[in-house]
Amino acid sequence: MTRQVLLFISALSLGLVQGQVSYSIPEEMTKGSLVGNIAQDLGLDIKRLISGKARLYTGESAQYIELSRERGVLVIKERIDREALCGQTTPCALHFQIILENPMELYRVTVEITDVNDNAPTFKKTEKRFEISESAVLGSKFVLDKALDLDIGTNGLQSYTLKPTDNFVLKLHSQADGSKKVEMVLQKQLDREKEENMSLLLTAMDGGEPVMSGTVQIYITVLDSNDNAPVFTKAVYKSVIPENSQKGTLVTSVSASDADKGSNGEKK
């Protein structure tokens, strides 16, 4: 056990905690940025910090903040990424002590790390494909991928949009884990003969300032159904032939077309 740990345990056992102070800072502050004037806030003289060999005790935690005895301030030692430090846990805070010797004194310090909007919503894949029959009934539902945003609160994922909305509308359903189930619902009948391939854009947006967003492209292939009958080029065909025409003489030619394709469009 090191001398520093022995001093810390001794201080706790003797009840030498003299006071405490709290700060709140945003994540991603640059190295050397000011956290707070600890000497002023604790009512300590800078000479006492120096003579008492003031130092920070963070236990086994990484030290993101350091003490400048000569200035009596706390400054950023290493850039703090709130998402890496706490994930989705809130509040996110660093807890440590300032220890002085001769006489022994201990002060508790809490530094809350607040979120900044440094992460955009993202999708696992950049595109999604569907094959949907043109005979699909109105109200048919198709599940879309959810977006992920590492930020929290208003900086986290807030809303989705789907464009264009000619044939589909977007529906969101709340889940037990607080996320949203994302579906597109057919609201207008598909017509392969008019539009066989469709492209939609799903956008996820956060509530930060400025707003950050992520997108996924949705490609839809409309499958054919036998919804068109063959149509002749004329409603009535007329022909005149001599009465003594021989067997096999061409009387007239007729033709028909079918808007369907494949076996649905084959003419017999």
Side-chain angles (χ1 to χ4, degrees), residues 132-136 167 189-198 220-231 257-266:
I132 305 174
S133 173
E134 62 179 331
S135 61
N167 294 91
Q189 199 71 47
L190 299 174
D191 189 340
R192 187 205 64 81
E193 288 70 44
K194 291 183 178 179
E195 191 173 14
E196 183 174 0
N197 297 292
M198 308 174 68
I220 298 173
T221 299
V222 182
L223 303 178
D224 185 57
S225 64
N226 194 23
D227 58 344
N228 292 280
V231 178
S257 62
D258 192 323
D260 295 322
K261 70 176 186 177
S263 61
N264 292 330
E266 292 180 358

Side-chain angles (χ1 to χ4, degrees), residues 95-211:
H95 302 277
F96 53 90
Q97 293 79 35
I98 294 180
I99 300 174
L100 291 87
E101 301 177 13
N102 301 319
M104 178 70 68
E105 293 178 298
L106 184 146
Y107 299 89
R108 290 175 177 157
V109 182
T110 298
V111 179
E112 181 182 4
I113 312 301
T114 60
D115 185 56
V116 299
N117 195 27
D118 58 341
N119 293 281
T122 58
F123 293 92
K124 289 184 179 180
K125 299 180 180 179
T126 58
E127 64 178 50
K128 190 172 183 64
R129 296 180 180 274
F130 291 95
E131 290 185 342
I132 305 174
S133 173
E134 62 179 331
S135 61
V137 298
L138 298 182
S140 296
K141 299 177 181 179
F142 305 90
V143 178
L144 304 177
D145 294 332
K146 296 183 291 186
L148 174 66
D149 193 328
L150 297 177
D151 293 321
I152 60 173
T154 57
N155 290 330
L157 178 63
Q158 298 295 319
S159 61
Y160 292 89
T161 60
L162 181 67
K163 295 181 179 181
T165 56
D166 298 335
N167 294 91
F168 295 91
V169 64
L170 194 64
K171 294 291 185 182
L172 304 178
H173 305 278
S174 298
Q175 304 292 287
D177 62 359
S179 64
K180 300 286 187 180
K181 182 179 181 181
V182 187
E183 295 178 329
M184 63 177 188
V185 182
L186 183 64
Q187 66 172 354
K188 180 182 177 182
Q189 199 71 47
L190 299 174
D191 189 340
R192 187 205 64 81
E193 288 70 44
K194 291 183 178 179
E195 191 173 14
E196 183 174 0
N197 297 292
M198 308 174 68
S199 177
L200 292 79
L201 187 67
L202 177 65
T203 303
M205 296 170 289
D206 65 21
E209 188 63 44
V211 173

Side-chain angles (χ1 to χ4, degrees), residues 68-111:
S68 172
R69 295 177 191 167
E70 294 73 17
R71 297 168 56 201
V73 297
L74 296 175
V75 296
I76 297 295
K77 181 180 180 181
E78 297 290 343
R79 184 184 67 86
I80 303 173
D81 184 342
R82 191 205 63 81
E83 290 74 40
L85 183 64
C86 298
Q88 294 293 306
T89 302
T90 182
C92 178
L94 298 171
H95 302 277
F96 53 90
Q97 293 79 35
I98 294 180
I99 300 174
L100 291 87
E101 301 177 13
N102 301 319
M104 178 70 68
E105 293 178 298
L106 184 146
Y107 299 89
R108 290 175 177 157
V109 182
T110 298
V111 179

